Amino acid sequence: AQKVTQAQTEISVVEKEDVTLDCVYETRDTTYYLFWYKQPPSGELVFLIRRNSFDEQNEISGRYSWNFQKSTSSFNFTITASQVVDSAVYFCALSEYFDYGGSQGNLIFGKGTKLSVKP
Amino acid sequence: DVKVTQSSRYLVKRTGEKVFLECVQDMDHENMFWYRQDPGLGLRLIYFSYDVKMKEKGDIPEGYSVSREKKERFSLILESASTNQTSMYLCASKRDRPNYGYTFGSGTRLTVV
């Protein structure tokens, strides 16, 4: 069965600190997708990144970076020089790669990590 | 800009009322989903639909039903609202292929009194 674990329920940092959000997943599939979403206090989940299991290259987008390690089944998310606007709940998710319809391709979410960035 | 629109941002209903939560997407996505979100419990899938008139139970379907008469609209129905259904409800949609993940609506915060 597929499962996503975000062990950190809440993290609190001071502005400008770096912070890493952990995500560990379980799947029997050899090919799959991993995602990160951000949910600010307004409520809407916003897509951040999608990574397929073929590509283990790390990705950087501005202050955000993602470290995908297939060997440890982890897909961690780092925010460099955090800002108050980064305060949100962050969700990691997993889905099958080949979507033949029905429930295939549905995302399996972790429980989320609430990040508070204090000024 | 592509959108998933939920009809109400905040809703207050009385116990026993029949409640309709509406969700409309303009992306021609095949799949639509209803989640509820509660503190400490993450996102829990209530129902999903992978085609018009098709519906599948998620993890917590009890007390809910759904309707998908048109591709763009997916309605969540609380037949007889109860206080334990007070929650944030999130609608999402997804294309079959390629799998770009979900697009979410902004949520409906429902309070049942």
Side-chain angles (χ1 to χ4, degrees):
Chain A
Q2 296 180 316
K3 186 179 177 183
V4 175
T5 302
Q6 295 180 256
Q8 304 149 309
T9 307
E10 292 193 40
I11 301 175
S12 182
V13 299
V14 176
E15 214 171 13
K16 296 185 184 173
E17 280 186 42
D18 298 348
V19 58
T20 296
L21 309 182
D22 297 333
C23 173
V24 173
Y25 61 92
E26 296 173 29
T27 180
R28 286 176 292 188
D29 297 329
T30 55
T31 53
Y32 45 88
Y33 284 114
L34 294 162
F35 302 83
W36 276 96
Y37 286 83
K38 174 183 180 180
Q39 185 183 36
S42 59
E44 181 176 342
L45 273 83
V46 176
F47 169 87
L48 293 178
I49 190 172
R50 180 188 75 158
R51 169 68 70 205
N52 73 56
S53 54
F54 301 130
D55 183 2
E56 286 196 68
Q57 232 178 346
N58 291 336
E59 175 129 358
I60 298 174
S61 176
R63 295 184 296 106
Y64 294 173
S65 62
W66 290 269
N67 180 247
F68 175 35
Q69 298 217 337
K70 219 168 176 178
S71 60
T72 56
S73 297
S74 65
F75 187 43
N76 296 338
F77 173 31
T78 297
I79 302 174
T80 302
S82 60
Q83 299 176 2
V84 172
V85 293
D86 296 326
S87 297
V89 180
Y90 291 87
F91 290 93
C92 181
L94 165 72
S95 78
E96 295 184 28
Y97 187 88
F98 293 106
D99 185 354
Y100 298 110
S103 62
Q104 289 189 323
N106 284 8
L107 269 62
I108 308 300
F109 288 91
K111 286 201 159 80
T113 297
K114 183 177 181 180
L115 174 65
S116 298
V117 181
K118 302 189 187 316
Chain B
D1 198 12
V2 294
K3 283 285 185 231
V4 175
T5 303
Q6 293 185 231
S7 53
S8 304
R9 192 81 174 91
Y10 297 94
L11 214 49
V12 179
K13 295 291 181 181
R14 295 196 180 279
T15 301
E17 273 193 76
K18 190 168 186 175
V19 181
F20 292 85
L21 302 185
E22 305 288 347
C23 176
V24 177
Q25 51 99 0
D26 64 0
M27 298 164 284
D28 202 35
H29 284 176
E30 293 84 4
N31 304 277
M32 297 187 75
F33 305 82
W34 275 107
Y35 285 86
R36 66 176 281 177
Q37 182 179 15
D38 302 286
L41 298 178
L43 301 170
R44 292 184 292 167
L45 181 63
I46 305 171
Y47 269 97
F48 68 99
S49 168
Y50 55 86
D51 201 351
V52 175
K53 297 194 188 293
M54 304 303 289
K55 59 185 178 185
E56 293 280 346
K57 292 180 181 178
D59 301 316
I60 52 162
E62 296 78 20
Y64 303 94
S65 62
V66 290
S67 171
R68 193 164 180 207
E69 296 297 317
K70 293 185 178 180
K71 191 175 186 179
E72 66 270 19
R73 185 180 297 271
F74 192 36
S75 304
L76 180 69
I77 304 155
L78 287 66
E79 295 289 342
S80 177
S82 64
T83 55
N84 63 14
Q85 292 177 310
T86 291
S87 187
M88 170 71 113
Y89 290 88
L90 290 159
C91 177
S93 71
K94 181 183 86 66
R95 186 179 304 284
D96 269 348
R97 286 175 293 278
N99 185 352
Y100 288 127
Y102 295 176
T103 302
F104 282 89
S106 53
T108 296
R109 191 165 292 281
L110 172 68
T111 302
V112 182
V113 297

